[in-house]
Each structure stands twice: as structure tokens, then as C-alpha cells.
Amino acid sequence: AMVLGVVAAQLRIPPLVGYLFAGIVISPATPGFVGDVALAGQLAEIGVMLLMFGVGLHFSLGDLLQVRRIALPGSLLQMGVSTAAGWGLARFWGWSDAAALVFGLSLSVASTVVLLKALDAKGVMESVNGRIAVGWLVVEDLAMILVLVVLPPLAKALDGSTTAFSSSDVVATLALAVAFVALMLVLGRRLFPWILWQVAKTGSRELFTLCVVATAVGIAYGSSKLFGVSFALGAFFAGMVLRESDLSHRAAQESLPLRDAFSVLFFVSVGMLFKPAILMQQPVHVLGVVAIIILGKSLAAL
């Protein structure tokens, strides 16, 4: 990753392209050394959590509310258009309704890590456009929580299964998500900054760094296990509540090296999943997907 990242930088392209190629080099789909895909994925999860935590440290609830009139309708419209386009393309290929729906929904969301890396590299994370983009991502993440609950019974219904669609599951999921957000904004924004202050009083830099990382990973894990919220979204809210502390700037600086190192592994793990042979086996299908992502989603966002 380091070598190919340097090569990418010398070619004046984002280093993350080099990280992706590093993953391809050690993937099971290419000859030579094969890396541990499962381990890479687990380390990548830590990278995603720390990256989203760092973003949350720079954003408040007020920042997100300021961009709600653009981020909320824009993200939902873009998701709807992308899902419909993906569904139509997959149906044209002869896929079932259920498979086409899953495919369309997969194309409807953006990669949070890729976009945040791009914004950070251009230094526009805290600009108006950067805040709109982050708000857009948060809405998408919240929407996908609901989608992941609705999708299994809906897919069975589309395939002709007798399994009934249960609205109670949807209500329960929404209630859990709302409970998590409320808990973090009411209790978390007071409790976790207080804990950070107590640890800072010890004067140990090591303990302070450990407290920051434990808070980020702990809240992310707890949000997933107890409230059904994704690791990434949980870590984002962990950063938001710690932003209320006067030590938030120090927390961001202390977690930066770990965040950068582990986020690189996210791109490596993605590269390890890519099979170059698909470009030769299904070139038209690949072009169709790229067209939806680049043209369809851009026009919907516009």
C-alpha cells in the first residue's frame, strides 16, 4: 500500500488508488501472494470507525441541521433514482425482481470512506459543500438502516414467498434508531466529555489516546449490537458527542495516526474483493453500472 500509494502520488492521482491496486495485487483473484481477506476486512472496519469518529469530531448537530434542506431531499431523491435505474438495468439483464431490487439499492448509496478521504484531501471538509456532503451521507446511512430491515421480507414477497411483510419490524427498527440518536444527544454529550476530562487529569497521554479510541470503538460496537445502527454511523455520533468537550481538538490529533493507518486498510480490503477478469468477461455490464454511478447519480444529485 505504501509503495503503490507513493507511485500514485507521483503520478498526481489520489494515493487511495494505489491502496486499491495494492489490494488487487494480494487478492485471491491475482497470481502470487494471497492476503487474508477476512483479517483485512476486520482491520478495515476499525479504520472506518476511526475515520467516521474523526469526522464527527468536526461536526455538530447544528452543522447537520443547517444543511438538512439540501441533504435530506437530495439524498433520498438520488437513492430513489439510482435504485430505479439499477433495478431497470438488472431486469433488462433478466434478473428477478428481488435480485434487481438488491442490485439497485447497492448502487444507491455512496462509499462514506472514499468521499470523506476525497473531501479531506482537498481541504473542504468543513466548507459549506463539505458539510452538505457529510449530511448527505448521514441521511443515506440512516435510510439504509431501514432498508436492511425491510429488504429481506420484501425480497421474499417479490419472489412469491408466502412470508408476510411485517410493519412491526420497521417500526421497531425506527424506534431503536431514534432511541440511539436521542440517547447520544441527551446523555452521551454530557457523559463522554466528562469521562475524557477525568482521564486527561491523570496526565497520561497514553491513557488519553486509549480513552479516545475506546470511546469511538465502544460506542460504534454498542450502537450496532444494541440499536442495530451501523458501526460507521455509531462512530460518527461518538465523535459528535465528544465534540462538546474542550478536549475535542486534542482527541482528533491523538487519533489521527491510527485513523490514517487503519483507513488505508479499508481500501486494501476493497481491492482484495475485486476480480480483474470481470472486465473481460462482462464489459457491457460493467459499463452499465459505471454509467448509473457516474451519470445517473450525478444528474439526480444535480
Side-chain angles (χ1 to χ4, degrees):
M2 185 197 71
V3 171
L4 293 181
V6 171
V7 171
Q10 293 295 321
L11 295 175
R12 299 186 181 280
I13 57 178
L16 65 87
V17 176
Y19 308 150
L20 290 170
F21 273 99
I24 295 174
V25 169
I26 64 172
S27 76
T30 56
F33 175 79
V34 176
D36 189 329
V37 179
L39 177 60
Q42 292 171 7
L43 295 176
E45 286 283 5
I46 299 176
V48 171
M49 283 187 277
L50 292 177
L51 182 65
M52 291 298 292
F53 174 73
V55 174
L57 282 171
H58 293 90
F59 282 82
S60 66
L61 180 63
D63 294 329
L64 295 177
L65 291 177
Q66 286 177 0
V67 300
R68 67 186 185 280
R69 293 187 178 182
I70 298 177
L72 181 59
S75 59
L76 295 179
L77 174 64
Q78 187 188 49
M79 289 182 69
V81 171
S82 304
T83 301
W87 178 86
L89 183 62
R91 288 292 293 156
F92 176 74
W93 294 338
W95 293 19
S96 67
D97 282 325
L101 178 62
V102 173
F103 180 71
L105 287 168
S106 300
L107 298 182
S108 70
V109 290
S111 171
T112 302
V113 179
V114 173
L115 182 54
L116 294 179
K117 275 288 187 182
L119 293 173
D120 188 50
K122 292 182 177 295
V124 295
M125 183 78 79
E126 297 188 34
S127 66
V128 174
N129 289 340
R131 290 175 180 175
I132 291 173
V134 173
W136 200 290
L137 290 171
V138 171
V139 173
E140 285 189 353
D141 286 341
L142 289 172
M144 286 309 294
I145 295 173
L146 179 61
V147 166
L148 290 175
V149 174
V150 174
L151 192 57
L154 182 59
K156 290 179 180 179
L158 290 173
D159 278 345
S161 173
T162 56
T163 302
F165 182 81
S166 175
S167 59
S168 61
D169 291 339
V170 177
V171 174
T173 300
L174 284 175
L176 283 174
V178 170
F180 167 72
V181 174
L183 188 65
M184 294 302 294
L185 296 180
V186 175
L187 178 63
R189 66 192 307 179
R190 293 176 174 82
L191 175 63
F192 294 108
W194 179 83
I195 293 175
L196 201 62
W197 264 111
Q198 301 310 306
V199 175
K201 289 179 181 179
T202 65
S204 171
R205 180 177 177 179
E206 178 182 305
L207 280 176
F208 184 84
T209 303
L210 181 60
C211 179
V212 171
V213 175
T215 300
V217 177
I219 293 178
Y221 180 79
S223 67
S224 175
K225 292 298 180 181
L226 300 177
F227 298 95
V229 177
S230 68
F231 285 128
L233 195 61
F236 176 77
F237 275 96
M240 282 185 61
V241 298
L242 281 187
R243 188 182 187 274
E244 302 298 323
S245 170
D246 293 334
L247 296 170
S248 62
H249 181 71
R250 180 183 170 188
Q253 292 298 318
E254 294 288 347
S255 62
L256 183 61
L258 281 172
R259 192 173 72 214
D260 287 344
F262 279 99
S263 65
V264 167
L265 294 175
F266 167 80
F267 296 100
V268 174
S269 68
V270 171
M272 293 176 72
L273 299 175
F274 178 63
K275 298 180 180 180
I278 198 68
L279 298 176
M280 300 297 296
Q281 296 170 356
Q282 304 283 352
V284 177
H285 290 66
V286 173
L287 286 175
V289 172
V290 172
I292 290 176
I293 295 173
I294 294 181
L295 297 178
K297 297 184 72 172
S298 297
L299 289 174
L302 179 64

